Amino acid sequence: MAEEKEELDNYLDNHYIHRSNWLRAAVLGANDGILSTASIAIGVAAASDVRDPVILATLAGLVAGALSMAAGEYVSVSSQTDVEKADIKREKQELIEMPEIELQMLAKIYEKRGLKKETALTVAQELTEHDALGAHVRDELGINEISQAKPLQAAFASGAAFTVGGLLPFLVTLFLPLKSMEYSLYGFALFFLIILGAMSAKAGGSGIGIAIIRITFWGTVAMGLTALVGYLFNVSVG
């Protein structure tokens, strides 16, 4: 019996949905890190004849972006957590004040999912006896261990991923020739985005081709528009 339970747990752990929370934050952070720092560097490089302003602007964008991403993820996911806690608190009160109505509501949910009316009521009664709040939180509110908001996890994944993604264009500004640097930055950023798209698709179990097309298309648009701003204003920096 214990072996069967362990085998079932391992089977469920292999599903991609378990990675959805941290993977979303990590992909968003890395994509933002590559695009933001590369776009800043491209815009400044297009309007500069010296390296120092490009390096400084890119480094500032990297640090500010990583901290902003981490803070933004923490605040936004914490807001989601607050909503979940408020709904759970309300559900507790409703179970105390109108348990019969809550039972019927739970039965209706199971009936809509395909159970016969009598079976749905039986299931609702048994789950209510076992863990009334847990049943309503899961099946009425749609909150479970997989979907539940995790602010610290999201903040760390996003901030760390942004830093890694942003370091790649920053290294380009340090070591590649200044002449036509914006083109070098674009080429390397596109290469980094392709790798990111492939890795995120692999981790999430989705198609690699569509992930790469999606991430490189919007990356090209973002970097192209930023370079255009630098060329149009053509401000001498340095």
Side-chain angles (χ1 to χ4, degrees):
M1 187 70 179
E3 288 181 4
E4 288 182 4
K5 186 178 183 302
E6 185 179 350
E7 187 178 340
L8 180 61
D9 289 341
N10 291 336
Y11 171 76
L12 292 174
D13 284 342
N14 289 329
H15 282 69
Y16 296 111
I17 192 66
H18 289 273
R19 307 172 183 173
S20 60
N21 280 331
W22 65 262
L23 183 60
R24 177 200 61 81
V27 171
L28 176 63
N31 180 70
D32 232 19
I34 294 169
L35 277 183
S36 296
T37 52
S39 296
I40 289 171
I42 288 172
V44 178
S48 177
D49 296 325
V50 289
R51 186 183 299 272
D52 287 352
V54 182
I55 294 174
L56 182 60
T58 308
L59 181 60
L62 170 58
V63 174
L67 295 175
S68 175
M69 283 295 294
E73 278 289 338
Y74 183 80
V75 171
S76 63
V77 179
S78 291
S79 297
Q80 182 184 338
T81 303
D82 292 341
V83 171
E84 290 175 354
K85 287 179 179 177
D87 267 346
I88 291 172
K89 183 179 179 180
R90 179 181 175 184
E91 199 62 39
K92 280 182 182 178
Q93 194 63 32
E94 289 175 346
L95 284 168
I96 294 171
E97 294 176 355
M98 43 186 185
E100 237 355 273
I101 294 176
E102 287 295 307
L103 176 64
Q104 294 299 324
M105 187 178 296
L106 198 60
K108 281 287 183 185
I109 291 171
Y110 298 140
E111 193 177 339
K112 286 179 181 178
R113 291 180 182 175
L115 295 181
K116 292 180 180 178
K117 189 171 184 178
E118 298 79 9
T119 307
L121 183 58
T122 302
V123 171
Q125 288 171 335
E126 291 186 5
L127 286 175
T128 299
E129 289 171 7
H130 175 68
D131 181 8
L133 182 61
H136 282 272
V137 167
R138 181 182 61 251
D139 296 321
E140 186 182 340
L141 302 181
I143 302 171
N144 55 53
E145 290 182 4
I146 296 173
S147 65
Q148 198 166 22
K150 299 178 179 67
L152 286 175
Q153 183 191 63
F156 178 78
S158 186
F162 187 101
T163 302
V164 173
L167 277 173
L168 301 175
F170 178 65
L171 291 174
V172 173
T173 65
L174 287 176
F175 299 112
L176 264 67
L178 184 62
K179 186 179 180 181
S180 302
M181 180 177 280
E182 57 269 35
Y183 299 108
S184 300
L185 281 163
Y186 170 73
F188 274 95
L190 208 60
F191 175 68
F192 299 147
L193 287 172
I194 289 171
I195 294 175
L196 175 62
M199 288 174 63
S200 62
K202 183 72 174 175
S206 58
I208 292 177
I210 189 66
I212 290 174
I213 291 171
R214 183 170 55 223
I215 202 167
T216 52
F217 172 77
W218 290 110
T220 297
V221 171
M223 289 183 289
L225 290 175
T226 310
L228 182 62
V229 170
Y231 280 119
L232 287 177
F233 283 91
N234 195 28
V235 178
S236 179
V237 182

